[in-house]
Amino acid sequence: MIRILALIFFILPGLATAQSYPVHESTLINDYAAVLDEAAENRISNQLQALRDELGVEATVLTLHTRSPFQTEGSLEDFATGLFNDWGIGDATRNDGILILVLTGDRDMRIELGAGYGREFNRAAKYIIDYEMIPLFKDGDFATGISVGTARIAEWIARPHAAGDAPPEETQGGGGFSPWWIFGLFGAGFAGLITWSVLGQTIRDRMARCPKCGQRGIHTHREELAAASTSQTGKGEKTVTCSHCGYRNTSSYVIARRSKSSSSSGGFGGGRSSGGGASGSW
């Protein structure tokens, strides 16, 4: 009942004033389709907050039953880009915000990326949608699908981009790396979902090829040398080694400046999107 009243409270004023987009109650999750129970919402909120605390990246989840009260013409992509820019998701300088939009009644979804992401991250977003989220949405399991998707977005889009890296190779080919194999390996259930953000680098290393010998299976170690703050970037060091040929390479990387703190009831950082990202239907 509370969610329904909240939905009415935020939607009806928008209709009365010809507002094109829903307003946000939180900068983390706005579950207006009411598909997340309290435990799932808390878990996903923690994932999103950890991303902000670690990298200063604003990622947000919005669920709606349909976009029709807000948009009668135009595409899903137009709606998501307009909404992203209306809210101002992400840091205004880096434009590294992420919007996870799920329309349960329309059976559509989109991952909208800030203007700072390259095209390779669009392909990673498409992979996450097609192979990680939609299979679960087809079963009606929105809570798990959004939780899985949020973890993958953090590991395969936000963190590589912040470190100046490309997304994992497997997200660029459009197939052959089934998420169900991962579930089978590490066990299904919420415990596996929570630990994925830690295990993700291990999976990427196993799939990556050594630049010297070409064998799959490298080891990546990252060390923070200087923490980032809201006023300056930080510095880290990445060491890549190969057990097959003894290859070793150490390089430095910049840790993105943290966004100024914004509470769940506050505002976003003023970021913009130029239409990057990916969409999917089920």
Side-chain angles (χ1 to χ4, degrees), residues 18 21 24 35 50 52 63 70 100 106 128 138 144 151 159 166 174 189 216 218 222 240 246-247 253-254 277 280:
Y21 305 104
H24 59 83
V35 294
R52 296 186 186 197
T63 72
F70 309 100
I100 305 168
D106 295 341
I128 292 169
K138 286 180 177 179
T144 304
R159 288 192 176 93
R216 289 190 184 273
I218 60 173
R222 295 178 185 272
V240 178
Y247 171 83
Y253 63 91
V254 175

Side-chain angles (χ1 to χ4, degrees), residues 17-154:
T17 60
Q19 181 175 318
S20 298
Y21 305 104
V23 298
H24 59 83
E25 182 183 21
S26 165
T27 59
L28 295 175
I29 298 177
N30 293 279
D31 180 29
Y32 294 148
V35 294
L36 302 176
D37 59 27
E38 183 178 357
E41 186 163 338
N42 288 339
R43 182 173 62 253
I44 297 166
S45 292
N46 289 338
Q47 292 174 310
L48 296 170
Q49 188 61 54
L51 192 60
R52 296 186 186 197
D53 293 341
E54 177 185 348
L55 301 175
V57 174
E58 290 182 348
T60 188
V61 172
L62 170 64
T63 72
L64 294 170
H65 181 67
T66 176
R67 58 187 164 98
S68 59
F70 309 100
Q71 182 190 45
T72 57
E73 297 180 352
S75 65
L76 170 63
E77 290 73 20
D78 292 337
F79 177 72
T81 302
L83 173 64
F84 189 108
N85 293 332
D86 184 71
W87 285 8
I89 302 168
D91 181 87
T93 302
R94 301 192 305 268
N95 289 312
D96 56 358
I98 302 171
L99 168 64
I100 305 168
L101 173 63
V102 179
L103 306 171
T104 59
D106 295 341
R107 301 178 68 86
D108 288 330
M109 75 157 295
R110 181 165 178 81
I111 298 173
E112 183 79 12
L113 300 178
Y117 294 92
R119 291 184 178 180
E120 66 272 22
F121 291 98
N122 296 345
R123 294 191 290 271
K126 182 61 174 173
Y127 183 93
I128 292 169
I129 289 171
D130 289 347
Y131 293 92
E132 303 286 334
M133 301 181 77
I134 284 182
L136 292 164
F137 289 173
K138 286 180 177 179
D139 293 335
D141 193 349
F142 292 101
T144 304
I146 293 172
S147 181
V148 170
T150 300
R152 304 302 192 267
I153 288 167

Side-chain angles (χ1 to χ4, degrees), residues 160 163 165 201 204 220-224 237-239 253:
D165 294 336
Q201 183 64 60
R204 291 173 59 191
T220 301
H221 173 73
R222 295 178 185 272
E223 182 178 358
E224 182 182 281
E237 188 174 79
K238 179 175 72 172
T239 301
Y253 63 91

